[in-house]
């Protein structure tokens, strides 16, 4: 908030009195000191000296990009942070280089008439990635169907995120670590809602759009930015749509279950173990924070059938009275909107393959990724023998979904539960303290000597780091551990 206040104060933060300049590489290199520090991110140069003392990662971290192109560094650490908005008052100007357009850029400008345009591969690295997907389209009197051929077997309804906004249509298909984008200004109007089908074993996706008028379309539309391109996922920007707050229920004294409704013009299902970003404008600045979807209760995943077009997303969110984002989120009224991004995260369902023992170490809201992981494992992994959750909290009042967890442990003999409290009352008979070698070595017992194990850990960063260190000391391998971080 202090930084936002400073950016609103009217103070000249670039030292250029509001002018924007073209910055050469030589010029950029000169500004490499704490009190004169310029950094280039995605072609734009910022004077970050005034921001030094506000940078959550500290000055040293920021100085790593001083006088140079910090895009890769930035992406490694927090690609989701909305720097354009946060640093808009620090903008010095653009790098003095011409943007490089792909060779067939002008060719792509022509109308899409149903012929398959040559796929654009925007990054040479993509050649090492999945074989190039392609698309086609066909129509009946009432419908237009876009068909995406991913050429991959492990495609499902989670793999495609589609949005129809005004006359543009955007569908991002996640294929391993890449995104294949369809992005078109449609030639005719369509109805708001559409459907998505996946033919899983051939990797074919069909998106069925409903025409507003039963006329024959001569072409699908005009290509928009990055249409028909395969881009490493880490290089795609975050895409947001506005979701409506449907309900907000108290879960503990400070944690609430938020239910958001996706617009009818969006198809989005967040894969197990992944998170999304929320974006709100707080005193004129766009602020972005990550949140992990959960189910509406620990038992809902067991209900059949889970509707494939489920439009509700649930979040367990702790409100920090002195926080920047959560008080604002808490002030939203039912019916208000919050922008929600495409899913991100590096957890892979394949980590469950042949899994026998699953151990979950969660602290506070670090419980949130465990909700779907737990339900998925208990429902879909036939080899699973045991799931154990060790849940660290300050007091009994802080335990999220305690009675649901206890009910689940009672109902499903494969599931065991252990609460550990760091600040319990004198009546607490359970475990106390912090994550430690003694607690872990007792808890992490394989059901068989040869059991395939996965340990998931999530909580405050120092908790996760400490836990990772202890797990390595206990000789668990990298493949046996997954830590949830941003
Ligand atoms: P902040 O402004 O970040 O402050 C948080 C607390 O720290 C406050 O008490 C504040 O007073 C204190 N604080 C802030 N700055 C300082 C400082 N300099 N010194 C000392 N204290 C300070 N959270 C959830 O509740 N649910 C989720 O599902 C969830 N999923 C997440 C997924 C990922 C991948 C990650 C990385 C985080 C997730 N989080 C989740 C955390 C969430 O993103 C936010 O960090 C959290 O909501 C706090 O936001 P805030 O802006 O309200 O608080
Ligand atoms: P909290 O209530 O402050 O802490 C939960 C428990 O962890 C408490 O018992 C606490 O003990 C303990 N703890 C805190 N720091 C510790 C440390 N350094 N070593 C050992 N134990 C420690 O937690 P919270 O406020 O809910 O915060 C949850 C955190 O999880 C947030 O930082 C959030 O960003 C993160 N999170 C991450 C993801 C993800 O996917 N990456 C998802 C959800 C949440 P004391 O307080 O008594 O010290």
């Amino acid at each position: 908030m202090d930084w936002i206040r400073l950016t609103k104060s009217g103070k000249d933060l670039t030292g250029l009195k509001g002018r924007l300049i073209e910055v050469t590489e030589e010029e950029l290199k000169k500004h490499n000191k704490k009190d004169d520090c310029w950094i280039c991110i995605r072609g734009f140069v910022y004077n970050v000296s005034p921001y030094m003392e506000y940078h959550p990662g500290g000055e040293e971290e920021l100085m790593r990009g001083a006088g140079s192109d910090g895009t890769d560094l930035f992406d490694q650490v927090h690609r989701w942070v909305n720097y354009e908005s946060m640093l808009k008052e620090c903008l010095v100007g653009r790098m003095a280089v011409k943007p490089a357009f792909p060779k067939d850029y002008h060719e792509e400008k022509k109308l899409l008439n149903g012929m398959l345009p040559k796929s654009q591969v925007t990054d040479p690295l993509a050649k090492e990635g999945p074989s190039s997907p392609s698309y086609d389209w066909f129509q009946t009197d009432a419908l237009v169907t876009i068909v995406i051929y991913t050429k991959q077997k492990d495609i499902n309804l989670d793999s495609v995120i589609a949005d129809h906004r005004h006359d543009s249509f955007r569908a991002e298909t996640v294929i391993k670590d890449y995104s294949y984008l369809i992005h078109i200004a449609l030639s005719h109007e369509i109805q708001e809602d559409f459907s998505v089908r996946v033919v899983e074993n051939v990797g074919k996706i069909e998106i069925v759009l409903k025409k507003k008028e039963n006329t024959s379309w001569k072409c699908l539309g005009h290509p928009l930015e990055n249409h028909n391109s395969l881009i490493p996922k880490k290089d795609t920007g975050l895409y947001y749509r506005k979701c409506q707050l449907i309900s907000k229920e108290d879960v503990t004294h400070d944690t609430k279950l938020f239910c958001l409704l996706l617009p009818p013009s969006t198809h989005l299902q967040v894969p197990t173990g992944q998170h999304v970003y929320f974006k709100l404008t707080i005193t004129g600045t766009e602020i972005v924070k990550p949140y992990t979807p959960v189910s509406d209760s620990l038992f809902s995943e067991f209900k059949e059938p889970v509707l494939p077009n489920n439009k509700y997303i649930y979040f367990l969110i702790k409100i920090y009275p002195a926080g920047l984002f959560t008080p604002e989120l808490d002030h939203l009224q039912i019916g208000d909107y919050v922008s929600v991004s495409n899913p991100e995260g590096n957890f892979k369902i394949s980590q469950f393959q042949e899994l026998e023992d699953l151990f979950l170490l969660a602290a506070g809201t670090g419980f949130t990724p465990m909700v779907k992981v737990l339900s998925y494992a208990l429902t879909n992994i036939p080899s699973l023998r045991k799931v154990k959750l060790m849940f660290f909290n300050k007091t009994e009042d802080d335990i999220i979904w305690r009675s649901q967890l206890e009910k689940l442990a009672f109902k499903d003999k494969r599931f065991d539960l252990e609460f550990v409290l760091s600040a319990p009352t004198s009546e607490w008979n359970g475990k106390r303290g912090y994550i430690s070698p003694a607690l872990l070595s007792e808890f992490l017992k394989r059901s068989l000597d040869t059991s395939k194990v996965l340990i998931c850990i999530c909580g405050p960063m120092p908790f996760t780091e400490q836990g990772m260190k202890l797990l390595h000391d206990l000789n668990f391998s990298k493949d046996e551990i997954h830590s949830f971080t941003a």
Side-chain angles (χ1 to χ4, degrees):
M1 282 309 288
D2 289 341
W3 170 247
I4 293 175
R5 264 180 229 116
L6 179 63
T7 62
K8 307 276 166 220
S9 66
K11 201 169 164 199
D12 175 15
L13 298 182
T14 58
L16 294 169
K17 302 194 174 69
R19 257 185 326 127
L20 290 178
I21 59 171
E22 284 223 330
V23 184
T24 60
E25 269 187 48
E26 295 71 50
E27 184 64 30
L28 178 64
K29 276 188 200 149
K30 287 184 207 157
H31 302 269
N32 59 0
K33 292 166 221 62
K34 267 189 194 162
D35 57 355
D36 177 20
C37 179
W38 291 9
I39 294 180
C40 169
I41 307 176
R42 283 186 245 292
F44 288 92
V45 179
Y46 298 89
N47 177 351
V48 294
S49 291
Y51 183 60
M52 283 283 167
E53 62 176 296
Y54 302 92
H55 184 233
E59 297 185 350
E60 294 310 318
E61 274 298 301
L62 205 51
M63 282 305 292
R64 288 170 65 200
S68 65
D69 188 336
T71 310
D72 286 347
L73 259 176
F74 177 83
D75 283 348
Q76 277 165 29
V77 186
H78 37 213
R79 149 183 126 67
W80 44 276
V81 167
N82 193 350
Y83 64 94
E84 290 105 322
S85 181
M86 295 275 290
L87 295 178
K88 63 176 183 263
E89 296 305 324
C90 300
L91 183 64
V92 168
R94 263 178 182 274
M95 283 302 287
V97 283
K98 300 268 173 295
F101 287 111
K103 244 190 182 166
D104 51 0
Y105 177 79
H106 294 291
E107 209 177 294
E108 275 279 321
K109 274 281 174 206
K110 68 187 181 201
L111 295 184
L112 300 174
N113 57 8
M115 306 281 288
L116 292 182
K118 218 169 81 216
S119 186
Q120 266 182 37
V121 179
T122 57
D123 188 305
L125 269 182
K127 298 202 176 82
E128 292 152 26
S131 55
S132 252
S134 58
Y135 80 99
D136 199 354
W137 70 284
F138 61 89
Q139 60 184 316
T140 62
D141 280 351
L143 306 172
V144 167
T145 303
I146 300 174
V147 189
I148 299 167
Y149 303 95
T150 66
K151 301 174 193 157
Q152 299 292 319
K153 282 191 176 163
D154 52 353
I155 294 294
N156 53 42
L157 280 169
D158 295 356
S159 312
V160 54
I161 302 125
D163 291 272
H164 161 225
R165 194 178 283 173
H166 309 301
D167 69 343
S168 80
F169 190 82
R170 187 185 188 279
E172 184 175 337
T173 305
V174 179
I175 306 170
K176 300 193 187 315
D177 293 330
Y178 290 81
S179 278
Y180 176 64
L181 199 70
I182 297 293
H183 194 195
I184 298 167
L186 295 171
S187 62
H188 294 68
E189 284 189 78
I190 57 168
Q191 294 176 33
E192 204 176 13
D193 61 318
F194 56 86
S195 61
V196 179
R197 292 195 294 251
V198 171
V199 188
E200 287 188 18
N201 41 8
V202 294
K204 188 168 87 168
I205 297 165
E206 289 183 346
I207 303 174
V208 185
L209 313 176
K210 296 177 195 159
K211 292 180 181 176
K212 257 206 180 145
E213 285 169 14
N214 288 0
T215 50
S216 172
W217 292 19
K218 293 216 166 43
C219 66
L220 186 57
H222 295 274
L224 296 173
E225 196 187 357
N226 287 333
H227 170 65
N228 198 22
S229 61
L230 183 67
I231 308 173
K233 196 159 185 303
K234 65 177 177 46
D235 296 342
T236 57
L238 284 173
Y239 186 82
Y240 291 86
R241 73 281 304 145
K242 285 198 165 140
C243 295
Q244 195 172 27
L245 179 63
I246 296 299
S247 64
K248 189 171 53 167
E249 273 171 38
D250 288 341
V251 173
T252 69
H253 62 103
D254 59 6
T255 301
K256 299 187 183 190
L257 182 69
F258 286 75
C259 173
L260 299 182
L261 176 65
L262 284 164
S265 52
T266 291
H267 167 90
L268 186 162
Q269 292 180 185
V270 182
T272 297
Q274 297 203 7
H275 53 270
V276 293
Y277 294 93
F278 283 14
K279 184 166 74 178
L280 283 176
T281 302
I282 300 175
T283 54
T285 300
E286 283 185 348
I287 306 289
V288 171
K289 293 261 166 152
Y291 294 96
T292 314
V294 295
S295 33
D296 60 342
S297 87
L298 277 181
F299 297 94
S300 57
E301 296 276 308
F302 297 100
K303 281 186 222 146
E304 286 288 334
V306 177
L307 294 175
N309 57 351
N310 201 344
K311 289 279 179 189
Y312 297 102
I313 323 186
Y314 294 87
F315 297 89
L316 284 165
I317 297 180
K318 175 165 169 177
I319 310 298
Y320 297 86
L324 173 60
F325 198 81
T326 48
E328 207 67 28
L329 203 56
D330 196 28
H331 287 144
L332 292 183
Q333 302 295 310
I334 304 303
D336 284 351
Y337 288 86
V338 57
S339 294
V340 175
S341 79
N342 286 8
E344 293 248 310
N346 51 13
F347 184 83
K348 300 225 160 58
I349 285 295
S350 58
Q351 290 172 259
F352 284 140
Q353 244 165 37
E354 311 291 319
L355 189 69
E356 291 169 283
D357 295 337
L358 175 63
F359 298 105
L360 309 174
L361 303 170
T365 57
F367 171 63
T368 52
M370 308 306 177
V371 172
K372 283 197 178 189
V373 163
L374 176 60
S375 301
Y376 186 94
L378 288 175
T379 323
N380 297 298
I381 312 297
S383 52
L384 195 76
R385 293 169 187 277
K386 197 105 222 103
V387 185
K388 289 173 83 177
L389 168 69
M390 186 168 260
F391 194 1
F392 297 81
N393 283 282
K394 282 191 190 65
T395 69
E396 282 184 85
D397 291 345
D398 295 313
I399 304 174
I400 298 171
W401 282 355
R402 177 177 181 177
S403 66
Q404 286 195 44
L405 283 166
E406 287 171 339
K407 205 156 116 198
L408 185 61
F410 180 76
K411 274 181 74 167
D412 194 320
K413 291 296 158 232
R414 294 170 301 169
F415 178 53
D416 277 349
L417 181 62
E418 189 91 72
F419 296 120
V420 182
L421 301 182
S422 55
T425 58
S426 52
E427 286 101 70
W428 175 248
N429 294 321
K431 294 228 159 24
R432 314 167 161 248
Y434 294 102
I435 193 165
S436 66
L439 275 178
L440 290 190
S441 51
E442 188 196 325
F443 180 72
L444 300 168
K445 293 252 160 61
R446 294 175 197 252
S447 55
L448 293 174
D449 285 349
T450 53
S451 294
K452 187 175 175 214
V453 181
L454 179 67
I455 306 167
C456 295
I457 181 162
C458 188
M461 216 44 216
F463 163 90
T464 306
E465 281 165 2
Q466 168 77 355
M468 294 288 284
K469 190 185 158 298
L470 296 176
L471 293 173
H472 290 303
D473 293 348
L474 289 168
N475 288 326
F476 287 100
S477 70
K478 264 191 179 163
D479 292 346
E480 291 174 321
I481 307 170
H482 182 89
S483 70
F484 289 92
T485 48

